[in-house]
Amino acid sequence: MQQPGPGSINCEPGWYLSAREQEGEQESTPLLLPPAPLGDRALNHASSGVSFGFSVFNLMNAIMGSGILGLSYAMANTGIIGFSILLLIVASLASYSVFLLLSMCIQTAVTSYEDLGLFAFGSPGKVIVGSTIIIQNIGAMSSYLLIVKSELPGAIAGFISGNDSGSWYLDGRVLLLITSVCIVFPLALLPKIGFLGYTSSLSFFFMVYFALVVVIKKWSIPCPLTLNSSIEILQISYSTEDCKAKLFHFSKESAYAIPTMAFSFLCHTSVLPIYCELRRQSGLRITSRLHQARKAVMMIFLSHLPTSWICHILVTLALNAIIVLLALYVPDIRNVFGLVGSTTSTCLLFVYPGLFYLKLSREDFISRQKLGACALFIFGIVIGLLSLALIIFNWINQ
């Protein structure tokens, strides 16, 4: 085995990494600050339960985000059994990739996805991972705003009697802009993500409410639907055949199934810093200075500038503008799930964890973990390219 050289971290057997200490110190912002004085530790200890609870809600919100709304579409285009099999495969592989990431976190003391790229492939690796995170987060945020644009007018109309179809408060684009300016942008300006624990917990309870409403309404809404003035404007099939659940169903729309699942299960950019921070919380003050997308943008494009409120606000404003424009002009959320899911989601979920583990670990290649990492890497490459090709082919045909 190669012997450690200067400026390296010598971990447990099977691990030898180049630390690139000077480069890491210049390009990254530490998540962990020095131990607090004894007088402050009691306060930290008293608030640790709240921080842990908010971390749980933030992580749950990262896992059960807008992607869960696409799972029903994936089931409709793969069938109950087909969907269940694919869901089990993707969920198992996602869990295994999280295990690989956390193993590397423990062995290398790395606290972010970008730094894993730095350790594995130097500055190019860190830039590639950061760029992937930017695209993934933009796609995720645009999917949320697409849901606001398409669903909020109908929700408001349900509480209003009479015909107000021309009113501004039933215009999806107007509501999207109001939501972005009054809610999304102020929350995105927050320098620390701790406060988002409140919004994450609220969104989680809304998800539970949404799931319960769907289950209850399933037994109260007739199928096939009867024509009436309140639903005839919707693009709904009234065929009795569509009321029967299919066990297996495959069509050209099935190409969106795995990318949508990958989009739904992606929490890897959040789970790594959350786990590392909680694991080292005793006696340490934890701070998360930037949200993931903004942090990645500033790391790639503004790393030579000192951190300031001007950069903070301008980067946040630019990201929000891009997200709002995408939400305004992308016609279908399925396109977001498909394109982002088959590219950045598969990379962050399958390709990068397997590739980084193969690069960083010095275990024998025939070891169980390395063979698993290799299989994860190959699976991500094949599924990503195949899904992207099928989606592009579907666009061309349309």
Side-chain angles (χ1 to χ4, degrees):
M1 180 183 296
Q2 185 179 2
Q3 296 299 319
S8 64
I9 298 177
N10 189 10
C11 302
E12 294 183 5
W15 291 85
Y16 165 64
L17 306 173
S18 175
R20 296 178 175 87
E21 293 176 344
Q22 294 180 353
E23 185 176 26
E25 291 175 358
Q26 294 174 355
E27 295 186 359
S28 63
T29 301
L31 288 174
L32 299 177
L33 296 179
L38 291 176
D40 295 337
R41 292 190 184 181
L43 179 60
N44 290 338
H45 179 73
S47 62
S48 61
V50 177
S51 299
F52 177 80
F54 284 168
S55 297
V56 170
F57 279 116
N58 279 329
L59 184 57
M60 292 172 66
N61 194 47
I63 298 174
M64 297 186 294
S66 61
I68 64 172
L69 298 179
L71 294 180
S72 58
Y73 178 83
M75 176 178 281
N77 289 284
T78 53
I80 295 177
I81 296 180
F83 172 80
S84 299
I85 294 173
L86 291 176
L87 189 68
L88 182 61
I89 293 174
V90 174
S92 300
L93 293 177
S95 178
Y96 181 66
S97 65
V98 169
F99 168 75
L100 293 181
L101 287 175
L102 296 184
S103 297
M104 289 183 280
C105 170
I106 294 171
Q107 299 292 345
T108 65
V110 166
T111 59
S112 70
Y113 213 139
E114 301 94 322
D115 286 336
L116 279 179
L118 172 66
F119 269 93
F121 297 102
S123 293
K126 189 171 185 177
V127 171
I128 290 175
V129 173
S131 301
T132 307
I133 292 175
I134 293 172
I135 299 173
Q136 166 66 31
N137 286 358
I138 288 176
M141 277 301 304
S142 63
S143 69
Y144 282 110
L145 294 184
L146 273 168
I147 294 171
V148 171
K149 182 180 72 173
S150 61
E151 302 300 330
L152 189 56
I156 294 176
F159 293 98
I160 299 176
S161 59
N163 184 12
D164 295 334
S165 57
S167 303
W168 64 268
Y169 49 82
L170 296 181
D171 189 330
R173 294 192 171 190
V174 174
L175 294 176
L176 186 153
L177 291 174
I178 294 175
T179 303
S180 301
V181 173
C182 299
I183 299 177
V184 176
F185 184 67
L187 289 175
L189 279 176
L190 295 174
K192 297 182 180 181
I193 65 174
F195 181 79
L196 295 184
Y198 294 101
T199 58
S200 295
S201 59
L202 183 63
S203 65
F204 170 73
F205 288 118
F206 274 122
M207 291 178 194
V208 174
Y209 172 77
F210 171 77
L212 292 176
V213 168
V214 170
V215 172
I216 294 172
K217 287 296 184 180
K218 190 270 179 188
W219 304 105
S220 61
I221 297 178
C223 190
L225 293 172
T226 56
L227 290 174
N228 57 62
S229 59
S230 62
I231 62 173
E232 60 185 2
I233 61 173
L234 302 178
Q235 296 178 355
I236 300 175
S237 174
Y238 303 98
S239 172
T240 304
E241 184 66 24
D242 291 336
C243 297
K244 299 178 181 178
K246 300 178 178 64
L247 298 181
F248 290 96
H249 175 69
F250 295 100
S251 64
K252 60 182 181 179
E253 306 297 331
S254 301
Y256 292 89
I258 292 183
T260 300
M261 294 179 190
F263 190 97
S264 302
F265 279 99
L266 185 64
C267 62
H268 296 51
T269 57
S270 301
V271 71
L272 191 62
I274 287 176
Y275 174 81
C276 293
E277 289 178 359
L278 290 177
R279 187 169 180 264
R280 300 165 187 171
Q281 190 172 18
S282 178
L284 292 172
R285 289 176 293 174
I286 302 173
T287 176
S288 296
R289 297 186 182 277
L290 303 173
H291 301 328
Q292 285 289 336
R294 182 172 59 230
K295 176 183 177 183
V297 169
M298 298 185 73
M299 176 198 72
I300 295 174
F301 301 105
L302 303 174
S303 60
H304 60 286
L305 297 178
T307 303
S308 66
W309 271 106
I310 295 178
C311 292
H312 180 93
I313 295 173
L314 291 179
V315 171
T316 305
L317 182 62
L319 287 172
N320 277 266
I322 294 173
I323 292 166
V324 169
L325 289 175
L326 286 175
L328 285 174
Y329 295 105
V330 171
D332 194 346
I333 194 174
R334 179 187 61 178
N335 297 327
V336 176
F337 288 157
L339 185 60
V340 177
S342 61
T343 53
T344 59
S345 294
T346 54
C347 286
L348 294 171
L349 194 69
F350 305 125
V351 178
Y352 292 167
L355 181 61
F356 293 167
Y357 196 91
L358 290 173
K359 174 68 175 180
L360 297 179
S361 176
R362 299 302 182 186
E363 302 171 5
D364 293 335
F365 187 78
I366 59 174
S367 65
R368 183 178 62 179
Q369 296 299 346
K370 269 211 167 181
L371 288 176
C374 184
L376 189 69
F377 171 73
I378 295 174
F379 177 84
I381 292 291
V382 172
I383 290 299
L385 292 177
L386 180 61
S387 299
L388 183 61
L390 291 175
I391 291 171
I392 293 176
F393 180 75
N394 190 24
W395 288 350
I396 294 174
N397 286 339
Q398 291 179 351

